[in-house]
Amino acid sequence: MGIDEEEVDGNTILAECLKLQGVEYVFGIIGIPVVELSMAMQQAGLHYVGMRNEQAAAYAAQAIGFLTGKPAVVLVVSGPGLLHVIGGMGNAQSNCWPLIVVGGSCSVDHEGIGGFQECPQVDLCRPYCKYSARPASAVLIPQHVEKAYRMVTYGRPGVAYLDFPGTLLTSSVPRGSVHHVLKCKLPPVCFPDPQAIDNAVMVLARAQKPLVIIGKGAAYDRSEKSVFDLVHHTGLPWLPTPMGKGVMPDVHHGSVAKARTLALQEADVILLLGARLNWMLHFGRPPRFNKNVFIIQVDICPEEIGNSVNSGIAVLSNVGPACDAIKAKLGDWKYDQSSPWIKKLQTKCSQNDKYVQHMGNDVSVPLNYYAVLKKIQEVIPKQCIIVSEGANTMDIGRGILQNNLPRHRLDAGTFGTMGVGPGFAIAAALWCRDNFPSKRVLCVEGDSAFGFSAMEVETMFRYKLGIVIVVVNNNGIYGGFSEEVWKDITSAGPITKFSPPSSLVPNTHYEALAKLGNGKGFFCTTVDQLQEAISEAFKVEDAPSIINVMINPSSDRKPQSFAWLTESKL
């Protein structure tokens, strides 16, 4: 029998096609009908990582997409498995990260008559992805895999869903009949219109109060060198969005992140690099922004241009080429570092920094957020990847935990999703182990956020990942209660009627999860205990360690001029 006559089943075809397109990692939970598919994936040379929850599997896979620019796969079973993963799909689509979801489904001859876990999966996924399809036959699998890969990586990245009934996976066809598809090429680079660049340069050079905002899109675009060359050369003040941190080093002298409110309110010209004017940037509207601000919007997605406010100049382009073109056109022009605008921003940065330093130096027990995060920053390894989630833990930590390299911060992101931390950390640790063995991963979690995906600690043990988890524990969602107050509440009557919805059990010993394996667990109430625990935890390279640090349940962030979330005016 020749190779063209050799029988090959759908499992093998799918696994080989994913490998051909460049997929390296698969995260999932197996069951009927994808057990054999998971083994075929490993046989094809893919890394298979078994997770404990489908959402966490999707979080891990999409983090690989952000870190590498290449999508990973989530493998899920039919029905409930697919429904569980939709939360992760929504997060990836909202973050604009490439992700391919492969779902097993009810055998076609059982559809419509109550088959096992029967579910309209292709239709359910459409609102949360760029492409959702079921190959009509095994011979067409390569065509759909290539299209899925292309769709999630070209233009604005996103999600694709491919549906595979059990009968399709087990069906066999001659290898020679399989539709031949080449490997998807790298996404084409979009270069800016020269006239748009001319206009942008003219406006920037005349600005009295310019500001550069660096978004997550700039990080994904791998445009850090171009952004640095432009911003550093011109001396323009800048600030990052949360996952735009590190494109420009946090320690760079031009950062005005500590004067964010002032910078947004008073800037008269904003160069927006790969960031969206959504809720995270208060929609670009007053009172958080100058009502007359002129926005130069650089984005890869035409539909994003002018989405919230009219862009003064639209630059449809990858961030890197746009920055290169602007810098070349500006020539030797530099923004005056002695200008009143720079002085005002520097003064405000200094004032805000004094408050943060004051709170960080207050190490009285119970601890506050600032002291905990400041002491963490003092002792963690340089250039580690920082994963962070959990309301105040994440928001305050963004200003204290430094990122000086791009794509070294992963957090709740555009969708504001809680529970992403452990999955993101697993992906980052696997990526580091395969590419940068000396680089470590720190996962800083609020106690509520940690609870969403805490069982992924077992996954970390199974794959020998030396992730250091710090749970900043305030006994609740946003805030809880001390043990004394909790006792009074729970003795007053039925707990379901008297316990506030935000409360969790005080002093829960999350570090005990380290007993699942050979990791280390630490319960801390002082900064000395915390710093010693971090030093010990980072000595463990083949297992996760968990540091549970107690803080004041009433601890809060620095008083804000505005609420952190822009409220609706309707």
Side-chain angles (χ1 to χ4, degrees):
M1 177 186 296
I3 191 167
D4 284 351
E5 287 77 33
E6 171 192 328
E7 291 287 314
V8 60
D9 65 10
N11 289 311
T12 302
I13 297 170
L14 175 54
E16 291 178 352
C17 288
L18 291 170
K19 179 68 174 177
L20 170 67
Q21 294 304 329
V23 172
E24 296 181 22
Y25 296 92
V26 180
F27 300 84
I29 299 177
I30 65 165
I32 298 172
V34 298
V35 177
E36 291 78 11
L37 176 56
S38 65
M39 293 185 282
M41 288 172 164
Q42 288 182 314
Q43 190 171 2
L46 301 174
H47 296 282
Y48 179 83
V49 183
M51 304 287 284
R52 300 302 300 265
N53 178 279
E54 287 91 355
Q55 284 188 30
Y59 300 147
Q62 65 195 256
I64 290 288
F66 178 61
L67 291 169
T68 69
K70 298 193 299 184
V73 165
V74 182
L75 178 63
V76 298
V77 301
S78 51
L82 185 279
L83 290 173
H84 289 170
V85 87
I86 285 178
M89 293 172 67
N91 191 70
Q93 186 74 357
S94 181
N95 270 343
C96 309
W97 289 355
L99 173 69
I100 297 174
V101 179
V102 170
S105 61
C106 172
S107 295
V108 291
D109 55 322
H110 291 172
E111 290 181 336
I113 56 173
F116 176 64
Q117 296 183 334
E118 183 180 353
C119 185
Q121 297 177 185
V122 175
D123 290 336
L124 283 171
C125 291
R126 283 202 173 101
Y128 307 100
C129 57
K130 296 176 70 176
Y131 181 63
S132 181
R134 172 193 289 181
S137 66
V139 300
L140 295 175
I141 290 175
Q143 172 182 310
H144 286 275
V145 171
E146 188 278 337
K147 184 170 183 179
Y149 195 100
R150 178 162 38 88
M151 291 288 284
V152 304
T153 55
Y154 278 38
R156 172 185 280 177
V159 184
Y161 173 67
L162 295 177
D163 191 70
F164 292 92
T167 42
L168 178 59
L169 292 172
T170 57
S171 63
S172 294
V173 296
R175 185 175 285 277
S177 68
V178 177
H179 186 65
H180 179 67
V181 174
L182 296 176
K183 180 178 180 179
C184 179
K185 296 181 179 179
L186 291 174
V189 177
C190 183
F191 288 86
D193 177 358
Q195 186 60 57
I197 295 299
D198 289 347
N199 295 340
V201 166
M202 181 176 63
V203 171
L204 270 176
R206 294 177 180 176
Q208 298 297 308
K209 297 181 177 181
L211 177 68
V212 179
I213 299 178
I214 303 167
K216 181 171 68 236
Y220 182 83
D221 190 46
R222 274 70 183 158
S223 62
E224 51 268 18
K225 184 181 184 304
S226 297
V227 173
F228 183 90
D229 288 347
L230 171 64
V231 175
H232 183 73
H233 172 76
T234 59
L236 291 166
W238 61 275
L239 60 82
T241 63
M243 275 186 277
K245 275 167 61 72
V247 173
M248 286 290 295
D250 279 346
V251 296
H252 188 270
H253 59 83
S255 171
V256 294
K258 292 177 180 177
R260 183 179 188 270
T261 297
L262 173 66
L264 295 181
Q265 274 191 301
E266 296 195 13
D268 61 356
V269 173
I270 291 176
L271 176 60
L272 192 66
L273 300 176
R276 289 170 284 175
L277 293 173
N278 55 21
W279 68 272
M280 298 183 81
L281 284 174
H282 317 290
F283 312 108
R285 299 174 181 175
R288 301 302 294 268
F289 282 69
N290 179 346
K291 66 178 181 179
N292 296 316
V293 65
F294 190 98
I295 296 175
I296 303 167
Q297 188 173 7
V298 179
D299 205 284
I300 192 68
C301 179
E303 292 82 2
E304 189 59 41
I305 303 293
N307 190 42
S308 178
V309 296
N310 291 330
S311 299
I313 297 173
V315 183
L316 184 64
S317 172
N318 284 76
V319 172
C323 289
D324 292 341
I326 291 172
K327 179 178 180 293
K329 196 71 179 178
L330 282 170
D332 294 331
W333 179 88
K334 297 181 186 298
Y335 184 69
D336 183 4
Q337 297 303 291
S338 64
S339 69
W341 177 231
I342 292 293
K343 300 284 188 188
K344 189 172 186 178
L345 289 170
Q346 290 174 341
T347 299
K348 189 63 175 179
C349 284
S350 178
Q351 291 172 350
N352 287 341
D353 191 51
K354 285 179 181 177
Y355 178 89
V356 172
Q357 293 300 322
H358 170 72
M359 292 297 294
N361 291 331
D362 178 7
V363 296
S364 58
V365 176
L367 297 170
N368 67 75
Y369 284 106
Y370 296 89
V372 166
L373 293 162
K374 181 175 184 287
K375 296 304 178 181
I376 290 173
Q377 175 61 38
E378 288 176 355
V379 295
I380 58 176
K382 301 297 182 184
Q383 315 303 5
C384 65
I385 293 181
I386 297 173
V387 178
S388 184
E389 63 170 331
N392 288 343
T393 298
M394 177 178 65
D395 292 341
I396 297 171
R398 182 170 64 247
I400 298 175
L401 300 176
Q402 292 183 353
N403 295 101
N404 295 312
L405 291 175
R407 298 170 296 280
H408 277 55
R409 176 181 169 87
L410 299 163
D411 67 23
T414 309
F415 217 31
T417 306
M418 292 294 104
V420 296
F424 281 0
I426 287 168
L430 287 167
W431 178 69
C432 287
R433 186 165 69 185
D434 292 343
N435 298 278
F436 306 98
S438 63
K439 193 180 290 291
R440 301 299 298 274
V441 177
L442 172 70
C443 184
V444 183
E445 299 272 305
D447 52 331
S448 171
F450 182 59
F452 281 78
S453 303
M455 272 311 297
E456 297 303 334
V457 169
E458 187 275 332
T459 308
M460 299 175 191
F461 277 114
R462 196 167 1 117
Y463 293 101
K464 300 181 178 180
L465 302 175
I467 297 164
V468 175
I469 300 170
V470 178
V471 180
V472 182
N473 191 345
N474 68 351
N475 299 333
I477 304 170
Y478 301 115
F481 301 95
S482 66
E483 283 190 300
E484 294 74 17
V485 174
W486 176 253
K487 287 177 183 177
D488 291 341
I489 291 173
T490 55
S491 62
I495 295 178
T496 50
K497 290 185 177 181
F498 285 85
S499 172
S502 64
S503 60
L504 299 172
V505 174
N507 299 342
T508 299
H509 283 266
Y510 298 106
E511 79 283 355
L513 283 171
K515 295 179 180 178
L516 289 172
N518 62 329
K520 292 187 176 182
F522 306 87
F523 184 82
C524 306
T525 58
T526 70
V527 293
D528 289 341
Q529 292 172 345
L530 172 62
Q531 289 193 323
E532 182 179 353
I534 291 173
S535 297
E536 288 298 311
F538 274 108
K539 293 177 183 177
V540 181
E541 298 183 355
D542 61 352
S545 299
I546 303 174
I547 301 168
N548 184 17
V549 56
M550 303 305 304
I551 67 168
N552 190 332
S554 301
S555 180
D556 204 351
R557 71 184 78 192
K558 181 177 74 69
Q560 306 290 306
S561 301
F562 296 92
W564 68 271
L565 182 63
T566 301
E567 296 180 0
S568 173
K569 301 299 189 294
L570 297 180

